């Protein structure tokens, strides 16, 4: 079983010793983009069409700022291909309608599936506001003091 995803040290509110906090910061620095090959800006051949390639060209320069590396290329390709399928499904539903011969248009199911896929991969890549907020490192903010930390302690 997998536990909860780890939070960045700046977002972790649990009580840790100074040594634990220092070890966590060292781990995060090692996992940073500077230790891995950068994501290439040239669209890979695994992209399914022109729309996916254009989306790749659009998002990669933005993702590099979020420390996305070559290790994440498969996820970026998945996002771009899903985006292309999403747009194709929208066009098909617009052209054919929601109902074809008394049945729901299969393109509508593809649209819904790609919408879910886009939401998931965008979150994993830090492309949503919520996911970026988890990555933000507050600057010059003093550590909040727990007003209840001393309750019950012998003075």
């Amino acid at each position: 079983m997998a536990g909860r995803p780890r939070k960045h040290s700046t977002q972790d509110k649990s009580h840790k010793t100074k040594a634990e906090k220092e070890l966590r910061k060292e781990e995060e620095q090692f996992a940073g983009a500077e230790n891995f090959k950068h994501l290439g800006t040239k669209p890979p051949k695994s992209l399914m069409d022109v729309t996916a390639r254009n989306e790749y060209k659009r998002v990669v320069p933005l993702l590099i700022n979020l420390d996305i590396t070559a290790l994440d290329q498969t996820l970026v390709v998945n996002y771009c291909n899903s985006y292309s399928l999403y747009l194709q499904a929208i066009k098909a539903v617009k052209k054919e309608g929601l109902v074809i011969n008394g049945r729901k248009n299969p393109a509508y199911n593809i649209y819904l599936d790609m919408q879910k896929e886009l939401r998931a991969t965008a979150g994993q890549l830090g492309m949503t506001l919520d996911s970026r907020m988890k990555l933000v490192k507050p600057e010059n903010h003093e550590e909040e003091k727990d007003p209840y930390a001393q309750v019950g302690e012998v003075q």
Side-chain angles (χ1 to χ4, degrees):
M1 279 189 199
R4 292 183 183 165
R6 287 178 61 165
K7 292 181 180 179
H8 192 276
S9 62
T10 58
Q11 301 297 314
D12 190 2
K13 302 292 184 208
S14 63
H15 298 285
K16 294 194 180 339
T17 65
K18 287 182 181 180
E20 289 172 324
K21 288 178 184 178
E22 191 61 37
L23 178 63
R24 182 73 175 267
K25 285 183 181 179
E26 288 175 14
E27 289 172 353
E28 288 170 355
Q29 286 176 345
F30 175 74
E34 62 274 357
N35 294 313
F36 298 99
K37 184 179 172 188
H38 290 288
L39 183 63
T41 55
K42 181 180 178 189
K45 295 190 186 305
S46 55
L47 291 166
M48 63 181 3
D49 58 19
V50 173
T51 303
R53 284 190 288 280
N54 288 340
E55 182 66 1
Y56 187 91
K57 290 176 188 176
R58 184 185 77 83
V59 299
V60 166
L62 302 170
L63 292 174
I64 290 172
N65 294 332
L66 292 174
D67 290 342
I68 302 297
T69 68
L71 293 172
D72 305 303
Q73 184 171 11
T74 302
L75 196 56
V76 176
V77 166
N78 184 37
Y79 170 83
C80 295
N81 285 333
S82 297
Y83 179 74
S84 177
L85 290 170
Y86 171 79
L87 292 181
Q88 289 175 41
I90 288 173
K91 286 179 186 176
V93 170
K94 282 182 179 180
K95 180 181 177 185
E96 301 160 1
L98 282 174
V99 179
I100 301 174
N101 299 328
R103 304 189 105 178
K104 184 168 63 170
N105 187 340
Y108 184 69
N109 289 336
I110 294 170
Y111 161 77
L112 293 177
D113 290 345
M114 291 306 103
Q115 192 176 46
K116 290 175 190 172
E117 185 65 29
L118 286 169
R119 190 177 308 120
T121 53
Q124 290 174 319
L125 290 167
M127 296 171 70
T128 64
L129 178 59
D130 184 50
S131 61
R132 283 192 308 276
M133 292 302 291
K134 291 177 184 175
L135 299 173
V136 171
K137 298 177 188 176
E139 296 176 14
N140 299 329
H141 292 205
E142 292 183 23
E143 191 172 313
E144 290 182 29
K145 294 188 179 189
D146 184 359
Y148 302 104
Q150 294 179 351
V151 174
E153 288 183 13
V154 178
Q155 305 228 356

